[in-house]
Structures are given as C-alpha cells and as structure tokens.
C-alpha cells in the first residue's frame, strides 16, 4: 500500500481491451440480443470502467466503434483457433469479393552459354511464353494462367426465447458465442475437405474441396476397404508416390486422415507419433505424427453422412500445401432479428 501511492504509471496506461476481453464480448452480445446496445446493466458497468474519472483514464469518443471492432477481431481469432486444415495453406487478403491472380505452373530451362542456339537459333529462350510459338522454338516458355479467387459468406444462427430476462441471458452468452464460433469453424473445415463432393455436407454451391478436386482430376487412389484391413503408413506413402514431382519433398506434403484411419496408424510400426518425432515435429495445428517425413493431421469431417470410413469413401488425403492459396475477406458481424413463431 505504501509503494502504490508513489507509482502512477498504471493509472495512465488507459483501458486495456485484452484484460477485459470476456466482459467486452458478453456486453456486446447482450446489447445485440436485447437491442439495447451498451445501455444494459453489463454495458453500463463496462463503460464506467472504461471512462474512469478518478484514475484520469479516457476512452476515445469512438469507444463504441472500438468495442465493435475488438469484438469482430476476437471472434475471428476464436474461429481460427478451432481450425485444423485452414492453417495449412497460405492466405491472400482480399479487398473485394473477387480477385484475379496470375499463375505459373513452372519455369522453363535456363540455358548454358556454351550451348546457346542449339535448336533455338541465335536467340536465348524465354522463361515465359511470348506471343506466337516461333520465338524460342522448340524450347518455348511456360504459358501463364490465371485464377479467379472468390470469397463465400457464412451465417450461423442461435435462438433465444423473447421472454428471457437480461439477467437470465448472461450465463448463456458464452455458450451462444462458442456455438457460433464452432459452427463457422466446422463449415470451413468441411468445405476445405469435402466442398461440393457427394459425401460431404455441402454437395453444391460452395467451392471445390480437396476430395472434389482429386475426383475431378482423376487423382483418387483405391487403397482397399478400411473395413477389411487397417490403414497403414504404406498406404499413405502410395498416395504421395502418385503425386509425382509434387510429392518429391516430404516436408511439403501433409496427410489428412480420418479418426478411424488414425487409430489404425497407431498400431503401425512405420507410423512415427510425436513421441518418436521429437524435435523434428513441426508446429502445424493438429499434427499428431509423421509418415516418412510428412506430417499427419487428423480431421473429424470425413464422411459425415456415413459416420465412419467405409468402402468407396475418402479416409485419407495427401496434399502439397504450397500448391494452394486461400482467399480471406475479413469481417464478422453479429446481428439480431425478431421472429414470431
């Protein structure tokens, strides 16, 4: 008590949003549900703490907007913490719903000076294809392509009875927020894995997931029925071998397996769990081991309509994560609507 009278630094540091995170989230959600904004009991207590005249602390005049921005960012972070597959891929931040980016599948050959002109005349070849095939023939460059990145919106709903009092809503605010976060995360994971596929939840009107892409490009491989025999590390290695040069570097390949396949792998001596990998373990979210240098991740979104890995369904996917990007258009809004039922 004697020392605190001589220390004034903590009194001027301002309102700390992170220290009051849960209270801000609850007050914001309660204000939306009751349609009172920050005029609820919980909201008024929060604003009194933020604007404390005794300590000289002031929140800017746009404090409500600052709270809303903080809530939106916090919900995004909560969703990201639930994701397993999404962190595998590189992100591209979008400033619009659609964006076209150029793509180059590979580069041409650099030429040796001593061998210049062999088959291409006096001119050196170009890495990128030029207009017309005459230049650099027969060692033409690589044609550039393009991809249109498109973002999709997600909506999650929760219902509360109209006659519920404000004090009765406060204990379930955390559950409402958690269900909203979890439902968004599940949809993201499901769509990345089984988007537009017949065995997934979203069979149409979303983007193609990894399984749908492999079907469309005839990159699926029959590894036998899991019901008649366990999934082994050798099966996963077959998947990587069928990838050609995209599976050359084991560190670029990640195996995504079902829960049933993971339990089978635990009995396989060729499967290195985290106890055996040791300091070679990477920091991929959800990684539970490796097979011949490639990480293994468990995803519980396989075969949701069947409940288990059965014959004819996917139970493992090998993917070169460097070959994919995920467009992201940030922004989470929480809204309230009144429905008579």
């Amino acid at each position: 008590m004697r020392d605190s009278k001589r220390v004034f630094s903590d009194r001027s540091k301002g309102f700390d949003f992170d220290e009051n995170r849960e209270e801000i989230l609850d007050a914001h959600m309660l204000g939306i549900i009751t349609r009172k904004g920050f005029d609820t009991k919980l909201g008024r207590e929060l604003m009194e703490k933020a604007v404390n005249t005794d300590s000289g602390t002031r929140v800017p005049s746009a404090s409500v907007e600052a709270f809303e921005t903080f809530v939106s960012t916090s919900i995004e972070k909560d969703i990201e913490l639930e994701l397993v597959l999404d962190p595998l891929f590189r992100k591209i931040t979008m400033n619009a719903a659609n964006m076209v980016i150029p793509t180059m599948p590979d580069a041409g050959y650099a030429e040796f000076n001593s061998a210049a002109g062999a088959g291409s005349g006096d001119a050196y070849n170009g890495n990128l294809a030029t207009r017309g095939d005459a230049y650099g023939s027969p060692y033409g460059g690589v044609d550039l392509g393009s991809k249109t990145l498109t973002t999709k919106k997600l909506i999650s709903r929760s219902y509360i009875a109209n006659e519920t009092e404000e004090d009765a809503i406060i204990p379930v605010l955390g559950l409402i927020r958690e269900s909203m976060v979890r439902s968004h995360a599940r949809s993201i994971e499901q769509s990345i894995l089984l988007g537009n596929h017949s065995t997934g939840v979203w069979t149409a009107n979303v983007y193609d997931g990894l399984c749908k892409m492999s079907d469309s490009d005839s990159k699926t491989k029959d590894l036998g029925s899991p019901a008649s025999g366990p999934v082994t590390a050798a099966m996963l290695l077959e998947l990587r071998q069928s990838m050609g040069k995209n599976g050359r570097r084991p560190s670029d390949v990640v195996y995504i397996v079902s829960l049933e396949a993971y339990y089978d792998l635990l009995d396989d001596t060729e499967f290195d769990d985290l106890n055996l990998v040791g300091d070679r373990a990477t920091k991929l979210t959800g990684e539970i081991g490796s097979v011949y240098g490639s990480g293994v991740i468990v995803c519980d979104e396989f075969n949701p309509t069947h409940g288990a890995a059965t014959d004819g369904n996917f139970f493992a996917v090998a993917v070169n994560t460097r070959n994919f990007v995920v467009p992201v258009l940030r922004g989470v809004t929480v809204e309230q609507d009144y429905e008579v039922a």
Side-chain angles (χ1 to χ4, degrees):
M1 291 176 61
R2 183 175 63 252
D3 291 341
S4 66
K5 295 178 181 179
R6 302 170 186 161
V7 178
F8 302 95
S9 59
D10 59 335
R11 304 184 189 182
S12 60
K13 69 176 183 178
F15 182 75
D16 194 322
F17 281 78
D18 292 328
E19 289 183 359
N20 299 275
R21 179 180 184 275
E22 294 299 321
E23 192 174 350
I24 294 173
L25 292 174
D26 287 345
H28 183 75
M29 294 285 291
L30 182 62
I32 292 175
I33 293 173
T34 58
R35 288 170 288 177
K36 295 181 180 179
F38 280 93
D39 196 29
T40 61
K41 179 181 178 182
L42 188 62
R44 289 192 295 270
E45 291 176 354
L46 179 66
M47 296 302 292
E48 289 174 1
K49 183 186 294 186
V51 186
N52 191 337
T53 55
D54 294 334
S55 65
T57 301
R58 290 289 188 276
V59 174
S61 58
S63 58
V64 175
E65 288 78 5
F67 283 138
E68 292 177 350
T69 302
F70 178 78
V71 170
S72 177
T73 304
S74 296
I75 294 176
E76 285 182 19
K77 290 180 179 178
D78 289 343
I79 295 174
E80 290 175 353
L81 291 175
E82 292 282 336
L83 299 175
V84 176
L85 303 185
D86 184 72
L88 297 175
F89 308 103
R90 291 174 292 178
K91 304 294 190 299
I92 290 185
T93 302
M94 306 269 283
N95 52 16
N98 298 286
M99 186 171 69
V100 179
I101 62 169
T103 59
M104 184 177 69
D106 208 340
Y109 291 100
E111 294 189 67
F112 288 96
N113 185 39
S114 58
S120 59
D122 296 331
Y124 291 99
N125 301 311
N127 266 330
L128 304 181
T130 57
R131 292 183 182 274
D133 293 330
Y135 178 77
S137 179
Y139 307 118
V142 177
D143 290 324
L144 286 175
S146 64
K147 287 286 185 181
T148 301
L149 302 182
T150 304
T151 57
K152 302 288 185 180
K153 290 184 179 180
L154 285 171
I155 298 176
S156 173
R157 291 182 179 181
S158 295
Y159 294 93
I160 296 180
N162 185 42
E163 66 273 8
T164 307
E165 296 294 332
E166 178 181 325
D167 291 339
I169 298 176
I170 294 178
V172 298
L173 286 175
L175 299 177
I176 295 174
R177 192 171 74 246
E178 183 179 347
S179 67
M180 179 175 61
V181 168
R182 180 60 182 158
S183 64
H184 276 76
R186 291 193 66 190
S187 292
I188 294 173
E189 300 286 89
Q190 171 68 208
S191 58
I192 289 177
L193 185 65
L194 286 165
N196 284 342
H197 196 268
S198 58
T199 62
V201 172
W202 317 114
T203 58
N205 300 323
V206 298
Y207 46 84
D208 289 350
L210 296 174
C211 294
K212 178 63 175 180
M213 290 181 185
S214 65
D215 266 353
S216 301
D217 296 336
S218 300
K219 297 297 183 183
T220 57
K221 193 172 183 63
D222 188 359
L223 298 177
S225 173
S228 61
V231 178
T232 63
M235 291 181 179
L236 300 185
L237 182 60
E238 282 189 56
L239 297 182
R240 180 181 152 202
Q241 290 171 340
S242 64
M243 295 172 66
K245 69 175 183 179
N246 290 314
R248 179 177 62 87
R249 297 178 59 181
S251 59
D252 291 342
V253 178
V254 173
Y255 299 110
I256 305 169
V257 301
S258 67
L259 192 59
E260 294 80 5
Y262 167 59
Y263 290 144
D264 287 343
L265 288 172
L266 289 178
D267 293 329
D268 190 354
T269 56
E270 296 296 333
F271 174 69
D272 296 330
D273 60 21
L274 288 184
N275 293 328
L276 300 175
V277 174
D279 58 0
R280 292 186 291 112
T282 60
K283 293 184 179 181
L284 296 176
T285 303
E287 182 174 348
I288 44 83
S290 69
V291 171
Y292 302 109
S294 299
V296 178
I297 288 182
V298 177
C299 180
D300 57 0
E301 295 297 335
F302 277 94
N303 304 314
T305 56
H306 299 279
T310 56
D311 195 18
N313 291 317
F314 287 89
F315 61 87
V317 174
V319 56
N320 186 323
T321 58
R322 290 166 57 90
N323 283 351
F324 296 88
V325 294
V326 175
V328 178
L329 186 61
R330 299 290 184 186
V332 175
T333 57
V334 183
E335 299 180 358
Q336 186 265 4
D337 188 26
Y338 183 76
E339 179 177 325
V340 178

